[in-house]
Amino acid sequence: MKKIIHIISGLGSGGAENMLLKLLKYSDKDKYYHEVISLKDEGIMGEKIKAEGIKLHSLNLNKKNLFTSLIKARNICKEFDIVDTWLYHADIFGLIISKILLKKKLIWNIRHSNLDKDANTSTVLKIVKLNSILSKYVNRVTYNSNRALENHLRAGYSACKSKIIPNGFELNKFKFDLALRSKVRQDLCIGEKEIVIITVGRWNIQKDYYTLFKALKELRNQNRHFKMIMVGTNLDDSNIELKDLINQYNLKENIILLGRRNDIPALLSSSDIYISSSMGESFSNAIGEAMACELYCVVTDVGDSKIILGNTGITIPPKNPLALTDSLVSYFSYLHSNGLEKNTQARERVIENYDIRAIIKLFELNYDEVIFAD
């Protein structure tokens, strides 16, 4: 049995954490044994990981316990074949453990694409620069999108050890459900024939909600009737900056803030159009999940969003509210003419290209290649 230890910066609700959970859930447990080290605490995903029977170690790392945390992680990792790290801070930590303290095989997972100065903190960019120098010591650098690979190679990452493995989706979980559509709409006091737009993410500069609100304001100025559901961490009434934006654009009657939710498939089923207004993505889980639930998608051409969507939706330039409004208007007209007709082509594309079980096999093949490489 091949033994893989995963080191991740933290266990919040981001795309990397969700993909790691799916990998642990669907991996062949007769052939691969997994454990997880979180540099922080158990976070949101900790209980879900342990529910899969996976042992989880939390280091609660800080400046005072850095040395003892390195020793603890070294003792955990010494029995494993591969150290598999997720996110930039974990990449550095994992390199120290695997290459300096233990001489183990090391895989980095890169889940970030946009390296522009205006979309990242200076600290992140400094870590990227450091990691680009260290990448030559890594056995394999795995990217979840073509754009992430291109941008990191441009930043100086080693090219010869690169591999792209896209995200995968649980198609038995993310699917359109008419009964859930009716229930959610009833719970949120939304009419059956009202057009519902949805976005799923978090409050972050990369998501560019400013452009989204400009587009929605123009949509409202054209006397279009709609509800906009916003789901994700800090997309709730406690976010003063977000509430101020809603008031500034006079969208209080249109926007429903739900914050973090555990019923994303139901919320997607309740909706008609999915929006990704991001100025930076790598491989968007949210877009794939929306497609699996047969939504019509309008997404910005960032990361691999255009590749994910194919010809099943509309791709627009980032930071372009007028293009976003025009795309929404075109779907409004279509939906008014065709009623409840769903975007079955979008789901078919996900089935053909991003089924979670096929993606997990790519991860496992990657482990085998690294283990048996010289």
Side-chain angles (χ1 to χ4, degrees):
M1 180 176 288
K2 303 171 183 72
K3 302 182 71 174
I4 320 297
I5 182 75
H6 302 271
I7 302 177
I8 190 165
S9 298
L11 289 171
S13 58
E17 297 90 333
N18 275 284
M19 190 59 225
L20 173 58
L21 176 63
K22 287 184 282 190
L23 171 58
L24 299 172
K25 182 177 180 180
Y26 290 98
S27 182
D28 186 341
K29 294 179 176 59
D30 291 330
K31 296 181 180 179
Y32 302 90
Y33 175 80
H34 301 269
E35 290 187 17
V36 176
I37 296 174
S38 169
L39 297 189
K40 298 178 182 177
D41 56 22
E42 293 188 2
I44 294 167
M45 290 292 178
E47 287 301 320
K48 295 180 180 180
I49 288 173
K50 291 190 291 186
E52 295 298 326
I54 305 297
K55 191 171 183 179
L56 172 61
H57 312 268
S58 299
L59 298 182
N60 296 295
L61 183 65
N62 56 55
K63 292 180 181 178
K64 294 181 179 179
N65 68 8
L66 176 58
F67 180 75
T68 55
S69 295
L70 284 168
I71 297 304
K72 180 178 179 180
R74 175 195 175 279
N75 292 335
I76 295 168
C77 295
K78 63 184 180 181
E79 300 300 327
F80 286 81
D81 300 304
I82 290 178
V83 176
D84 189 18
T85 63
W86 301 69
L87 306 176
Y88 295 132
H89 289 85
D91 292 343
I92 297 175
F93 190 91
L95 186 139
I96 295 170
I97 297 297
S98 62
K99 294 303 179 184
I100 299 175
L101 301 181
L102 289 174
K103 312 299 181 188
K104 294 283 186 179
K105 298 288 181 71
L106 174 65
I107 296 175
W108 282 356
N109 277 288
I110 306 295
R111 328 294 296 179
H112 187 63
S113 174
N114 188 350
L115 298 178
D116 292 345
K117 290 182 179 180
D118 63 348
N120 295 276
T121 65
S122 60
T123 300
V124 167
L125 294 177
K126 287 176 183 176
I127 294 173
V128 169
K129 182 60 178 177
L130 174 61
N131 284 4
S132 71
I133 298 169
L134 298 174
S135 63
K136 62 185 177 182
Y137 301 108
V138 181
N139 297 91
R140 181 69 54 85
V141 183
T142 304
Y143 301 87
N144 69 341
S145 73
N146 292 273
R147 193 70 59 87
L149 171 60
E150 293 165 7
N151 289 344
H152 284 80
L153 292 184
R154 196 174 295 118
Y157 274 63
S158 174
C160 63
K161 302 173 182 179
S162 303
K163 193 178 189 73
I164 297 173
I165 303 179
N167 291 345
F169 302 100
E170 297 174 282
L171 292 162
N172 60 333
K173 177 180 178 182
F174 287 91
K175 58 185 177 181
F176 175 68
D177 188 308
L178 182 59
L180 288 177
R181 176 185 175 89
S182 297
K183 182 181 184 304
V184 170
R185 285 185 170 233
Q186 184 177 3
D187 292 345
L188 298 178
C189 299
I190 299 172
E192 278 298 318
K193 295 184 178 180
E194 194 165 8
I195 290 180
V196 176
I197 311 166
I198 189 170
T199 190
V200 181
R202 65 190 189 282
W203 180 251
N204 185 277
I205 188 173
Q206 297 263 4
K207 302 302 180 183
D208 195 12
Y209 293 121
Y210 295 89
T211 291
L212 173 61
F213 289 141
K214 290 176 184 177
L216 294 178
K217 181 183 179 181
E218 178 59 28
L219 198 64
R220 179 170 175 146
N221 289 343
Q222 294 182 26
N223 295 316
R224 303 284 178 170
H225 300 285
F226 64 92
K227 293 294 184 184
M228 174 81 228
I229 296 176
M230 301 185 71
V231 189
T233 302
N234 294 325
L235 297 183
D236 54 36
D237 289 331
S238 67
N239 187 330
I240 303 303
E241 186 178 354
L242 175 58
K243 293 296 292 291
D244 287 345
L245 274 175
I246 292 170
N247 291 329
Q248 176 185 338
Y249 289 102
N250 193 29
L251 292 167
K252 187 176 180 181
E253 299 302 316
N254 299 90
I255 293 181
I256 301 173
L257 300 177
L258 296 182
R260 283 198 69 257
R261 295 279 292 239
N262 295 318
D263 58 343
I264 302 300
L267 294 171
L268 291 172
S269 288
S270 78
S271 305
D272 303 294
I273 302 170
Y274 184 83
I275 287 181
S276 175
S277 58
S278 295
M279 59 180 175
E281 293 282 353
S282 185
F283 188 107
S284 172
N285 282 304
I287 293 172
E289 291 167 357
M291 291 170 64
C293 291
E294 303 180 23
L295 270 69
Y296 296 92
C297 298
V298 180
V299 308
T300 49
D301 187 9
V302 295
D304 275 16
S305 297
K306 186 174 184 177
I307 295 173
I308 301 167
L309 202 59
N311 61 0
T312 70
I314 299 174
T315 307
I316 60 171
K319 301 182 182 180
N320 192 326
L322 291 180
L324 181 50
T325 301
D326 290 345
S327 299
L328 289 171
V329 168
S330 68
Y331 272 143
F332 271 50
S333 300
Y334 179 84
L335 288 166
H336 281 308
S337 300
N338 294 276
L340 188 59
E341 182 177 321
K342 302 300 293 180
N343 189 356
T344 55
Q345 285 185 326
R347 180 172 175 82
E348 289 169 3
R349 180 166 177 79
V350 176
I351 291 172
E352 291 173 5
N353 295 280
Y354 307 116
D355 183 285
I356 187 61
R357 297 184 187 279
I359 299 302
I360 297 308
K361 290 186 182 300
L362 296 180
F363 273 94
E364 293 175 341
L365 177 61
N366 194 44
Y367 294 143
D368 292 346
E369 289 175 353
V370 170
I371 287 172
F372 294 116
D374 292 336

